[in-house]
């Protein structure tokens, strides 16, 4: 292992949900990923945008009925997310929705990162393809193959 502490890549997701309450299903999966050591959650912020476009934050400690299972992650506040992140998230949202903004580390990648660093590797590029884009592309390929 390198002498410095090794971390996995850090990602964020902003998942928008219709309505003013979360059911908890998505949060259950985040907690499961954490419990299995696949990710480490640094920050969770629930952002709302009412029908008139007014933006608000949902306090996870006080609004567990509204935040669904994300209330279980109320201690995930490192300070990486700030008020300007709340406003940026709200700018991407539709009126009448709630969104979960989650910053997490891909802990599954730590051994790979350490091995790459030990062997002199340097990350020179990276990226992410949204899941919806992948699903659409695979579906289109299946359609073409079927014809």
């Amino acid at each position: 292992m390198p002498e410095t502490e090794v971390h996995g890549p850090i990602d964020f997701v902003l998942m928008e949900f219709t309505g003013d309450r979360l059911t908890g299903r998505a949060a259950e999966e985040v907690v499961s990923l954490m419990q299995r050591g696949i990710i480490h959650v640094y920050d969770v912020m629930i952002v709302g945008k009412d029908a008139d476009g007014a933006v608000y934050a949902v306090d996870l400690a006080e609004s567990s009925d509204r935040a669904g299972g994300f209330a279980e992650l109320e201690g995930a506040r490192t300070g990486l997310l700030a008020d300007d992140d709340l406003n940026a998230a709200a700018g991407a949202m539709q009126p009448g929705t709630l969104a979960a903004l989650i910053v997490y580390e891909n802990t599954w990648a730590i051994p790979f990162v350490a091995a790459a660093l030990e062997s002199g590797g340097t990350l020179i590029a990276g990226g992410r393809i949204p899941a919806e884009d992948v699903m659409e592309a695979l579906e289109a390929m299946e359609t073409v193959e079927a014809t």
Side-chain angles (χ1 to χ4, degrees):
M1 274 299 233
E3 291 180 26
T4 60
E5 187 176 355
V6 176
H7 287 276
I10 305 291
D11 287 323
F12 78 90
V13 293
L14 178 63
M15 299 295 296
E16 182 180 69
F17 301 89
T18 303
D20 69 344
R21 285 186 167 37
L22 302 174
T23 65
R25 178 76 178 98
E28 289 171 8
E29 290 303 320
V30 170
V31 171
S32 174
L33 290 168
M34 290 173 54
Q35 290 171 341
R36 292 183 286 154
I38 296 170
I39 65 170
H40 172 80
V41 174
Y42 284 103
D43 280 291
V44 175
M45 184 182 287
I46 304 299
V47 181
K49 193 172 196 179
D50 70 18
D52 296 325
V55 176
Y56 59 93
V58 174
D59 186 331
L60 295 177
E62 296 178 11
S63 301
S64 62
D65 64 320
R66 212 175 195 188
F70 286 104
E72 188 174 331
L73 300 170
E74 63 115 349
R77 292 291 293 159
T78 63
L80 289 174
L81 292 176
D83 288 340
D84 57 335
D85 297 306
L86 179 135
N87 293 327
M93 295 169 60
Q94 296 297 313
T97 61
L98 272 180
L101 179 57
I102 307 166
V103 176
Y104 62 95
E105 176 181 17
N106 293 285
T107 52
W108 60 266
I110 292 172
F112 166 71
V113 170
L117 292 172
E118 286 173 358
S119 61
T122 302
L123 179 66
I124 59 171
R128 170 127 328 181
I129 302 169
E132 289 85 359
D133 292 351
V134 172
M135 291 183 286
E136 286 175 15
L138 291 174
E139 186 175 314
M141 288 172 26
E142 288 175 5
T143 302
V144 168
E145 289 174 3
T147 57

